[in-house]
């Protein structure tokens, strides 16, 4: 027995060493090569002495906290509604909730502009009603607007993690509370909430760090006094002023602190969860209540999908200006976009890069989750923090880090050289940035897996390997599926690595092709919108297919 | 099972559509690629595609050989320069170490910078060794990116003489390609870069949005109009720290004001006054802005959509947007109009350069020659389909050759084409006045305007609410306080350079001091304006 544990331990530490080694080569070293110039105490102290950079940091923190708060307000009630009740159309709503994530880059902002712009849909409606137009992008309350838009985009991450956690809660716990006289509210706060803290943490930690480091939305609203925008603005003069590198280092530090605080606040006692013991049973809504429940989901989906809908209108419009709907519809932009020679290779390339990235991210994320939650290695927290770090590193830093690896480090020269086929390079680059989604989902699943079932299997003579495959893996399958789907979707839409590392048109992924199309003079944005719509639909259909294939085997999350 | 079939059906249908719409392969004029040309460029796909096609045809006719284009697309100009620098450092390091020498920080910092005679011998030797070497990065040409950035690449020693003047001395006559025009250098006298096309800055307006502001679009004629109070929150400008062309445009505003002030007050006082007046105008334009975009192309889009009423724009972006929107409108309505400011606008050249150690030097030089030839030049501004014109995309940019403009038949040109040698002939530019301070100008705009734009807009709005700059002179004085007067420009410029006794931390501290002072000035102006002073 002792011998067995010793060999198991060696395997665990070997897995840990491999994970840390991988992250050191593909994450830490590239980041260090780029930001080392900023790693001087005097330069870092300059970030705190400058009121403009200080305020940027503070605003970014405010955005992160406000976005996380809004996201909880949005996602929790809907996750509860989905878990506790059966209603007409329930099978469809899971799919709706995934869609806000698939807004393509570069053209996504055009959707917002068409909806909220000066001659956009809302202001045209206001003018028709005799009201003054509203300057949505120039308002005083940019912080609030940025947080709201980000939460509408990010809530699926929390929603899906919560649904997965809620579906794992043993209903007998809640029933016991009711029997002991606790009301619905008290049961929620005293029983349900503590049991789903894992899911809450999985979603919130990602949203907190994502919104803290988010560049696109503040940039779209012209909210320049945030750290990511300041770093973006400073990158062009980096040779004469390395302050943005110091800002990256500060942002990494604060992201880690935020993550650790969230982890501490939402720490759970695994023993109280009861996954696998008994499936929760949903209350069946009938009549108008059933329709109302569906309408609530449909309304949320409609609001969060407005930019997507606008993008669709732009892609089909010949002229869309000062009107509620396009004046004349056309297919010309689709014809132009889809017949461009860079388009078809980009589709094939993106699928290859994203699939490879998903496989790598799932392997690494699952390893990280096992190290901390199942094998409970003493240094597991290090693996956990390192796996979360990619969320807080600007994409361009990692991309240039890889270029740096190919030029500054001899042994890394061939692998990191982007001149050839970048399949492995982009697969790894995408995967590194997607590990956080997988590790959080997998950790949440593992924390809710009761040890009793595994102990029982081991007592019956099953090996650790067999126990994992036959007991643990099926239980955390839904969580891994969520992490994998996030990894795949976001890899398909990855921008920075794609722009810098895919240098030849034969190897462009979809996002770089979108960028190139959007740069065409005159009709560029229109044809990029058309390809963006195709990308959106294709990604939607991929998620639909993946969910349909997995639906039977997974938990409630993807039953549709 | 039904759901899986449905999902698979939708997935396959979407996957098939692009393959169905795939264009039929064009007839191959050339059996297989025999030669290769590797180009790094920030140019858009339309330019790359037209030049590739035209050069292939030209090369095949001339040599009966085909050429394969290996375009490297790394990102924007600054990304390209960072990439080129990293690659040269890596390649030179290998070369240096292969000679039995030890690579160290002194060599690393010295090989790409000109060294003064009193620099350490090791640094001077490293620089000399690099300049004498044929170290390359597997890229032949750098195409596009603006003269400012290509001059930086040349200064680092990454570019070499393409010797066009030896092969085609006739190109470099004043009536063909002048060495400079309206203050802009068109080619490097040592052959390190050659301008191939031009662009100029002007004003773009959305007539509907301008009318909504209570201004007649026909009244907009000068840069000063962008600072009109009616346009508060309606101006769109691009960030000069992200583009040399945008900085050039701001520089042109300074030049115009300095020229007028020198005429009025003489050079001694005029330069100081004109520089301050130019910055006053830039400050009010930026304070009027609704957004500061990260690229010049976005200005046109925001104005075209009506989110901004007026913007500072590059000609070809606006012309393309103008043509596209009017073609798409059933009534041919123009949503955006380009205006060349009174007194003309500065022109800026977009060059090409041969990189050190180019593997395909002969073909690369041939490509540069083609770009500067009459037929190559016609690709820029001729209509699609005319002889020697572009094949599929109108590029809408003025060629650099004067004779191509002079000899062109109007009906062969793309709509909106113009001759910058005529429209900008009255532009006055004195390179000595602002040329040495190009970097200072963009950093001053960034640190004292863009980084503190919230405070600046608030102060500007308070002054406008109080009746304008004339009604609250004390507030106006605080708002317009010069952080770096012209007399201190040289010293300030030096403070932005990292050197042996001026570290990066010192540079960051200087920039912080300027931002701090600007914030204080704007807050003071806000307070005074609210008091009506």
């Amino acid at each position: 027995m002792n011998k067995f544990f010793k060999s198991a331990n060696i395997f665990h530490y070997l897995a840990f060493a491999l994970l840390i080694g991988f992250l050191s080569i593909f994450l830490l070293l590239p980041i260090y090569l780029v930001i080392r110039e900023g790693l001087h105490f005097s330069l870092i102290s300059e970030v705190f002495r400058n009121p403009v950079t200080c305020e940027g940091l503070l605003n970014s923190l405010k955005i992160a906290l406000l976005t996380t708060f809004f996201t909880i307000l949005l996602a929790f009630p809907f996750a509860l509604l989905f878990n506790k009740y059966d209603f007409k159309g329930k099978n469809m709503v899971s799919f709706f909730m995934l869609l806000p994530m698939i807004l393509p880059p570069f053209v996504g902002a055009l959707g917002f502009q068409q909806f909220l712009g000066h001659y956009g849909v809302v202001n045209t409606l206001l003018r028709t009603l005799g009201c003054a137009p509203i300057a949505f992008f120039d308002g005083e309350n940019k912080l609030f607007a940025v947080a709201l838009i980000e939460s509408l985009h990010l809530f699926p991450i929390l929603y899906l993690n919560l649904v997965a956690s809620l579906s794992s809660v043993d209903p007998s716990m809640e029933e016991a509370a009711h029997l002991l006289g606790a009301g619905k509210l008290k049961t929620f706060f005293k029983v349900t909430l503590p049991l789903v803290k894992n899911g809450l943490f999985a979603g919130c930690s990602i949203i907190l760090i994502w919104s803290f480091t988010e560049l696109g939305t503040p940039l779209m609203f012209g909210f320049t006094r945030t750290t990511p925008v300041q770093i973006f603005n400073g990158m062009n003069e980096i040779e004469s002023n390395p302050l943005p590198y110091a800002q990256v280092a500060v942002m990494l530090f604060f992201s880690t602190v935020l993550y650790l605080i969230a982890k501490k606040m939402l720490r759970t006692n695994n023993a109280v969860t009861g996954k696998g013991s008994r499936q929760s049973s949903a209350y069946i809504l009938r009549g108008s209540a059933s329709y109302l429940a569906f309408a609530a989901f449909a309304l949320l989906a409609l609001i969060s999908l407005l930019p997507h809908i606008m993008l669709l209108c732009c892609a089909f419009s010949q002229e869309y200006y000062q009107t509620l709907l396009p004046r004349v519809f056309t297919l010309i932009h689709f014809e132009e976009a889809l017949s461009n020679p860079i388009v078809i290779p980009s589709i094939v390339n993106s699928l290859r890069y994203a699939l490879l990235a998903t496989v790598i991210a799932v392997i690494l994320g699952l390893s990280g989750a096992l190290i901390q939650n199942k094998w409970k290695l003493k240094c597991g927290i290090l693996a956990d923090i390192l796996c979360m770090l990619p969320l807080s590193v600007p994409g361009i830093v990692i991309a240039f880090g890889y270029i740096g690896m190919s030029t500054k480090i001899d042994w890394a020269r061939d692998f990191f050289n982007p001149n050839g086929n970048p399949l492995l390079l982009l697969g790894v680059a995408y995967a590194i940035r997607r590990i956080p989604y997988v590790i959080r989902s997998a950790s949440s699943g593992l924390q809710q897996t009761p040890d009793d079932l595994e102990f029982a299997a081991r007592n019956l003579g099953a090996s650790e390997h067999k126990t994992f495959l036959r007991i643990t893996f099926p239980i955390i399958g839904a969580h891994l599926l969520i992490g994998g789907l996030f990894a795949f979707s976001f890899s398909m839409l990855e921008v920075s690595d794609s722009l810098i590392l895919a240098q030849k048109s034969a190897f462009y992924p979809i996002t770089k092709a979108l960028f190139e199309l959007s740069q065409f003079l005159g009709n560029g944005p229109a044809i990029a919108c058309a390809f963006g719509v195709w990308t959106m639909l294709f990604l939607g259909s991929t998620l639909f297919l993946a969910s349909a294939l997995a639906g039977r085997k997974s938990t409630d999350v993807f039953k549709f | 099972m039904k759901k899986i079939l449905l999902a698979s059906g939708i997935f396959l249908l979407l996957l098939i559509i692009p393959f169905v719409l795939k264009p039929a392969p064009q007839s191959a004029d050339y059996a297989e690629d025999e030669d290769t040309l590797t180009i790094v460029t920030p140019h858009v796909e339309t330019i790359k595609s037209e030049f590739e096609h035209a050069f292939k045809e030209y090369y095949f006719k001339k040599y009966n050989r085909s050429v394969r284009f290996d375009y490297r697309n790394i990102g924007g100009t600054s990304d390209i320069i960072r990439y080129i620098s990293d690659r040269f450092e890596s390649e030179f390091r290998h070369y240096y170490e292969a000679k039995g020498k030890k690579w160290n920080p002194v060599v690393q910092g010295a090989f790409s910078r000109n060294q003064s005679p009193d620099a350490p011998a090791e640094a001077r030797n490293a620089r000399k060794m690099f300049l004498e070497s044929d170290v390359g990065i597997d890229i032949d040409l750098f195409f596009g990116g603006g003269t400012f950035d290509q001059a930086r690449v040349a200064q680092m020693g990454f570019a070499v003489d393409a010797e066009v003047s030896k092969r085609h001395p006739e190109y470099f006559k004043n009536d063909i390609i002048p060495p400079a025009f309206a203050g802009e250098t068109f080619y490097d006298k040592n052959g390190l870069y050659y301008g191939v096309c031009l662009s100029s800055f002007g004003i773009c307006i959305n007539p509907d949005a301008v009318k909504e502001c209570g201004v007649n679009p026909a009244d907009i004629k000068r840069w000063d109009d962008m600072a009109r109070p009616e346009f508060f929150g309606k101006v769109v400008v691009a960030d000069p720290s992200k583009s040399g062309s945008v900085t050039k445009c701001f520089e042109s505003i300074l030049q115009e004001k300095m020229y007028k002030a020198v005429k009025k007050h003489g050079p001694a006082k005029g330069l100081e006054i004109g520089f301050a007046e130019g910055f006053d105008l830039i400050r009010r334009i930026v304070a009027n802005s609704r957004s500061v975009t990260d690229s010049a192309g976005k200005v046109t889009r925001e104005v075209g959509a009506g989110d901004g009423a007026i913007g500072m724009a590059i000609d070809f972006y606006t012309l393309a947007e103008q043509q596209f929107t009017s073609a798409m409108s059933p009534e041919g309505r123009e949503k955006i109009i380009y205006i060349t400011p009174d007194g003309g606008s500065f022109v800026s050249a977009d060059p090409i350069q041969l990189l050190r150690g180019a593997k395909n030097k002969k073909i690369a030089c041939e490509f540069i020659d083609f770009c500067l030839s009459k037929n190559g030049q016609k690709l820029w501004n001729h209509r699609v389909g005319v002889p020697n014109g572009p094949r599929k995309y109108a590029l809408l940019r003025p060629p650099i050759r004067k004779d191509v403009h002079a000899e062109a038949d109007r009906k062969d040109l793309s709509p909106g084409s113009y001759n910058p040698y005529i429209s900008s002939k009255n532009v006055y530019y004195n390179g000595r006045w602002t040329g040495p301070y190009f970097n200072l100008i963009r950093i001053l705009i960034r640190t004292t305007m863009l980084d503190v734009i919230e405070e600046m807009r608030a102060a500007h709005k308070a002054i406008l609410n109080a009746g304008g700059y004339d009604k609250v002179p004390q507030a106006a004085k605080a708002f317009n306080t010069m952080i770096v007067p012209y007399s201190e420009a040289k010293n300030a410029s030096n403070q932005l350079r990292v050197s042996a006794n001026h570290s990066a931390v010192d540079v960051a501290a200087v920039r912080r001091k300027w931002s701090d002072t600007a914030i204080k000035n704007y807050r003071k102006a806000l307070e005074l304006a609210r008091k009506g002073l």
Side-chain angles (χ1 to χ4, degrees):
Chain A
M1 196 68 180
N2 264 349
K3 194 180 168 189
F4 171 80
F5 274 116
K6 268 183 191 168
S7 66
N9 259 338
I10 289 169
F11 172 72
H12 297 164
Y13 279 102
L14 189 66
F16 173 76
L18 284 174
L19 179 68
I20 297 295
F22 190 90
L23 292 172
S24 300
I25 293 170
F26 293 103
L27 178 68
L28 295 181
L29 194 53
I31 296 175
Y32 173 74
L33 283 178
V34 175
I35 68 165
R36 60 183 166 181
E37 279 180 63
L39 295 177
H40 293 289
F41 177 74
S42 46
L43 204 58
I44 286 173
S45 68
E46 193 60 41
V47 176
F48 295 100
R49 289 176 70 189
N50 189 334
V52 175
T53 46
C54 263
E55 204 185 321
L57 199 59
L58 199 65
N59 283 337
S60 297
L61 279 171
K62 284 181 191 168
I63 289 174
L65 294 172
L66 208 56
T67 305
T68 311
F69 176 67
F70 285 160
T71 312
I72 294 173
L73 285 187
L74 267 178
F76 224 127
F78 281 94
L80 282 172
L81 185 60
F82 184 88
N83 178 258
K84 301 287 177 199
Y85 301 97
D86 271 341
F87 49 88
K88 283 196 172 146
K90 185 176 178 178
N91 291 346
M92 275 153 60
V93 300
S94 286
F95 181 60
F96 285 161
M97 294 295 107
L98 285 171
L99 295 180
M101 299 187 315
I102 57 172
L103 188 62
F106 306 116
V107 288
L110 291 176
F112 280 105
Q113 195 181 45
Q114 192 61 52
F115 189 63
L116 300 174
H118 188 69
Y119 292 137
V121 173
V122 176
N123 279 325
T124 302
L125 188 65
L126 287 173
R127 281 193 186 89
T128 314
L129 297 172
C131 307
I134 299 170
F136 288 100
F137 295 106
D138 321 327
E140 301 285 320
N141 241 330
K142 284 179 179 170
L143 193 135
F144 186 82
V146 167
L148 195 64
I149 295 290
E150 283 184 18
S151 51
L152 278 172
H153 178 60
L154 296 175
F155 82 88
I157 296 174
L158 180 60
Y159 169 82
L160 289 177
N161 276 296
L162 280 175
V163 169
S165 289
L166 281 166
S167 69
S168 311
V169 171
D170 186 345
S172 57
M173 300 272 194
E174 288 166 336
E175 287 162 12
H178 284 307
L179 285 174
L180 291 169
K184 281 189 173 173
L185 213 58
K186 194 170 183 182
T187 307
F188 172 73
F189 282 108
K190 294 283 182 186
V191 180
T192 317
L193 188 60
L195 290 177
V196 296
K197 270 186 173 179
N198 295 315
L200 193 62
F201 171 65
C204 284
S205 56
I206 286 176
I207 290 160
L208 194 68
I209 301 175
W210 180 318
S211 49
F212 178 57
T213 57
E214 161 75 357
L215 170 68
T217 317
L219 203 60
M220 184 171 74
F221 280 88
F223 193 18
T224 52
R225 211 161 292 178
T226 62
T227 304
V229 178
Q230 286 171 342
I231 292 171
F232 173 75
N233 282 334
M235 289 305 268
N236 276 62
E237 344 163 77
I238 204 80
E239 287 161 47
S240 57
N241 177 28
L243 191 69
Y245 290 149
Q247 285 180 284
V248 172
V250 170
M251 207 163 71
L252 284 175
F253 173 77
F254 273 90
S255 301
T256 310
V257 170
L258 276 179
Y259 174 66
L260 291 175
I261 291 172
K263 197 175 170 73
K264 178 123 181 121
M265 281 175 70
L266 297 172
R267 178 186 285 170
T268 53
N269 178 1
N270 294 344
V272 298
T273 56
K275 189 164 185 167
S277 310
R278 198 183 125 194
Q279 279 290 317
S280 57
S281 52
Y283 179 78
I284 299 169
L285 293 176
R286 294 185 195 285
S288 55
S290 176
Y291 290 114
L292 271 177
F294 180 76
F297 274 98
L299 185 67
L300 177 65
L302 183 73
I303 293 170
S304 55
L305 291 175
L306 277 172
H308 304 61
I309 297 166
M310 288 296 108
L311 198 61
L312 200 70
C313 291
C314 290
F316 283 104
S317 73
Q318 189 173 312
E319 192 182 43
Y320 196 5
Y321 178 73
Q322 295 180 323
T323 51
L324 292 178
L325 285 170
R327 285 179 66 206
V328 187
F329 288 91
T330 180
L331 284 172
I332 192 171
H333 309 313
F334 281 92
E335 202 183 317
E336 274 275 317
L338 297 178
S339 64
N340 193 287
I342 60 173
V343 164
I344 289 181
S346 78
I347 295 167
V348 178
N349 290 336
S350 266
L351 282 172
R352 291 164 69 211
Y353 302 153
L355 283 172
L356 177 63
T358 307
V359 170
I360 298 173
V362 168
I363 292 171
L364 294 177
L366 180 60
S367 310
L370 285 169
I371 285 166
Q372 211 202 352
N373 300 293
K374 200 50 66 184
W375 303 335
K376 299 192 191 306
L377 301 189
K378 280 181 185 169
C379 36
I381 184 72
L382 179 67
D384 195 48
I385 290 174
L386 279 184
C387 284
M388 289 300 286
L389 207 59
L391 265 189
S392 46
V393 186
I396 196 160
V397 170
I398 294 189
F400 270 101
Y402 282 16
I403 298 279
M405 292 287 284
S406 77
T407 57
K408 293 185 170 81
I409 299 191
D410 288 340
W411 54 262
R413 200 177 155 108
D414 290 333
F415 183 84
F416 286 91
N417 189 350
N419 288 343
N421 185 341
L423 172 66
L424 285 176
L425 187 60
L426 278 177
V428 171
Y430 287 179
I432 285 284
R433 291 174 60 74
R434 310 295 160 231
I435 295 174
Y437 308 101
V438 183
I439 192 172
R440 287 282 60 84
S441 292
S443 295
S444 168
L446 286 171
Q447 283 161 3
Q448 287 184 269
T449 306
D451 293 337
D452 316 10
L453 295 177
E454 289 168 334
F455 288 150
R458 297 300 296 273
N459 278 337
L460 291 169
S463 66
E464 189 188 11
H465 177 69
K466 196 169 183 180
T467 306
F468 176 76
L469 283 181
R470 301 292 290 271
I471 306 289
T472 318
F473 192 77
I475 292 178
I476 64 165
H479 294 267
L480 275 182
L481 180 70
I482 293 168
L485 281 179
F486 279 130
F488 178 77
S489 307
F490 292 136
S491 292
M492 289 285 282
L493 301 175
E494 167 65 42
V495 175
S496 305
D497 295 328
S498 308
L499 289 191
I500 307 290
L501 300 175
Q503 298 184 355
K504 295 182 181 179
S505 58
F507 303 122
Y508 283 175
I510 285 173
T511 42
K512 183 135 182 179
L514 264 175
F515 174 75
E516 290 289 333
L517 292 179
S518 73
Q519 299 298 304
F520 279 29
L521 293 178
N523 64 349
I527 60 175
C529 273
F531 188 37
V533 164
W534 180 89
T535 308
M536 218 161 65
L537 295 176
F538 180 69
L539 209 48
S541 77
T542 312
L543 294 178
F544 185 34
L545 181 62
S547 311
L549 288 170
R552 289 174 171 207
K553 290 177 185 172
S554 64
T555 66
D556 289 347
V557 185
F558 290 116
K559 273 193 178 170
F560 61 87
Chain B
M1 194 60 191
K2 272 184 188 171
K3 276 166 197 164
I4 294 176
L5 282 176
L6 177 71
S8 311
I10 296 171
F11 176 82
L12 287 174
L13 181 72
L14 283 163
L15 194 61
I16 286 167
I17 290 172
F19 288 88
V20 172
L21 289 174
K22 186 182 173 186
Q26 288 166 357
S27 58
D29 297 328
Y30 340 103
E32 55 187 57
D33 299 323
E34 292 170 331
D35 295 325
T36 301
L37 180 61
T38 309
I39 302 176
V40 66
T41 177
H43 275 318
V44 293
E45 193 61 33
T46 47
I47 294 176
K48 287 186 287 193
S49 156
E50 290 302 337
F51 272 86
E52 177 177 345
H53 183 264
F55 182 69
K56 276 182 167 176
E57 211 169 79
Y58 159 86
Y59 193 78
F60 191 73
K61 271 184 195 160
K62 191 169 176 182
Y63 297 104
N64 200 28
R65 287 173 70 83
S66 62
V67 60
R68 183 176 71 88
F69 271 64
D70 179 4
Y71 278 122
R72 303 286 170 85
N73 305 290
I74 289 151
T77 305
S78 56
D79 298 327
I80 291 173
I81 292 178
R82 203 176 309 157
Y83 176 76
I84 289 177
S85 306
D86 279 357
R87 296 273 288 121
F88 267 110
E89 184 184 315
S90 166
E91 296 302 328
F92 181 61
R93 182 182 176 170
H94 285 281
Y95 176 81
Y96 194 79
E97 286 174 343
K99 300 265 176 197
K101 292 174 178 283
K102 200 171 172 228
W103 186 259
N104 61 39
V106 175
V107 177
Q108 187 185 8
F111 86 97
S112 60
R113 284 181 196 155
N114 286 330
Q115 300 297 314
S116 60
D118 55 343
E122 191 180 24
R124 280 184 284 120
N125 289 338
R127 177 65 174 167
K128 189 167 173 260
M129 197 168 157
F130 177 64
L131 293 180
E132 286 169 358
S133 76
D134 200 25
V135 167
I137 57 169
D138 293 333
I139 297 176
D140 305 315
L141 293 168
F142 178 15
F143 187 21
T147 46
F148 178 74
D149 287 309
Q150 287 214 358
R152 277 170 61 205
V153 171
Q155 209 170 26
M156 288 188 269
F158 302 155
V160 291
D161 185 359
E163 299 178 338
V164 185
S165 55
K166 283 186 192 162
R167 293 187 299 275
H168 296 283
E170 73 278 10
Y171 287 177
F172 302 100
K173 291 177 183 165
N174 268 338
D175 55 347
I176 309 284
I177 304 175
F181 179 75
E184 174 76 0
T185 305
F186 280 5
Y187 60 86
D188 179 66
K189 61 180 188 301
N190 296 317
L192 301 180
Y193 61 85
Y194 301 91
V196 292
C197 67
L198 300 172
S199 55
S200 73
F201 259 93
I203 299 169
C204 63
I205 61 160
N206 180 309
D208 297 325
V210 166
K211 280 181 211 156
E212 226 175 78
C213 294
V215 178
N216 181 354
D219 290 344
I220 297 168
K221 288 176 176 149
R222 305 162 61 230
W223 293 120
D224 293 64
D225 290 321
M226 294 184 72
R228 289 170 70 151
E230 295 94 324
F231 291 134
F232 178 74
K234 291 288 169 188
V235 171
V236 186
V237 290
D239 181 348
S241 66
K242 294 204 170 58
S243 156
S245 309
V246 179
T247 313
K248 194 84 194 161
C249 181
F250 282 108
E251 190 196 7
S252 73
I253 293 177
L254 292 175
Q255 282 274 344
E256 189 192 331
K257 292 289 177 192
M258 290 167 93
Y259 174 67
K260 284 180 181 166
V262 167
K263 262 178 85 177
K264 193 173 172 186
H265 303 283
K269 273 175 80 180
L271 290 178
E272 191 77 38
I273 292 170
F275 191 69
E277 283 178 354
F279 260 102
D280 289 355
L281 177 58
I282 292 171
R283 210 176 281 118
R284 277 182 287 137
I285 291 174
V286 176
N288 257 355
S289 68
R290 75 168 285 278
S291 62
V292 181
T293 66
D294 53 18
S295 74
K298 285 186 186 168
V299 173
T300 318
R301 285 178 200 166
E302 289 202 10
V303 174
D307 288 329
I310 183 166
M312 203 181 261
I314 294 182
D315 52 2
F316 64 91
Y317 283 120
T318 315
L319 293 171
E321 186 78 13
Q322 193 175 342
Q323 279 182 27
F324 174 68
T325 52
S326 73
M328 286 286 119
S329 165
E331 300 87 20
R333 182 164 60 147
E334 285 179 334
K335 289 194 287 185
I336 188 165
I337 293 171
Y338 181 73
I339 296 165
T340 304
D342 267 2
S345 170
F346 276 62
V347 289
S348 156
D350 214 351
I352 189 165
Q353 66 187 170
L354 178 68
L355 294 179
R356 181 175 294 279
K359 276 187 178 167
N360 310 294
K361 189 173 174 180
K362 191 173 164 282
I363 306 163
C365 290
E366 193 72 57
F367 185 74
I368 297 177
D369 291 353
F370 171 74
C371 288
L372 294 171
S373 71
K374 271 190 185 176
N375 286 350
Q377 289 280 291
K378 284 179 185 173
L379 287 172
W380 292 112
N381 70 342
H382 276 52
R383 267 181 203 278
V384 172
V386 301
N388 298 312
R391 183 184 45 122
K392 190 175 176 189
Y393 306 105
L395 303 182
L396 301 170
R397 300 187 70 168
I400 202 159
R401 280 179 70 138
K402 276 184 177 179
D403 54 340
V404 171
H405 288 284
E407 293 164 12
D409 190 340
R410 194 75 215 161
K411 70 175 175 23
D412 288 342
L413 300 181
S414 297
S417 291
Y418 69 101
N419 183 347
Y421 290 104
I422 295 173
S423 61
S424 295
K425 69 177 177 189
N426 294 326
V427 172
Y428 182 83
Y429 180 90
N430 188 325
R432 282 173 303 159
W433 291 351
T434 51
Y437 310 128
F438 195 77
N439 193 41
L440 172 72
I441 291 166
R442 65 175 171 187
I443 290 180
L444 271 177
I445 294 172
R446 165 137 297 286
T447 53
T448 68
M449 297 180 206
L450 305 185
D451 284 347
V452 296
I453 201 157
E454 308 289 335
E455 288 81 2
M456 187 170 76
R457 277 190 191 134
H460 181 62
K461 191 177 175 186
I463 292 170
L464 296 181
N465 287 343
Y469 284 77
D470 296 337
K471 301 281 180 195
V472 280
Q474 287 187 47
K477 194 181 166 196
F479 185 84
N480 287 328
T481 306
M482 282 298 284
I483 306 241
V484 177
Y486 189 67
S487 52
E488 292 172 22
K490 192 177 175 186
N491 184 32
S493 264
N494 291 335
Q495 286 186 315
L496 294 173
R497 288 195 196 106
V498 177
S499 62
N501 40 22
H502 193 67
S503 69
V505 180
D506 296 328
V507 173
V510 168
R511 294 168 64 117
R512 167 171 52 84
K513 206 175 104 190
W514 289 350
S515 294
D516 272 357
T517 314
I519 288 178
K520 280 176 196 153
N521 291 341
Y522 296 137
R523 284 184 181 153
K524 189 178 168 191
L526 175 77
E527 237 173 74
L528 290 166
R530 280 180 179 162
K531 288 178 188 165
L533 297 169

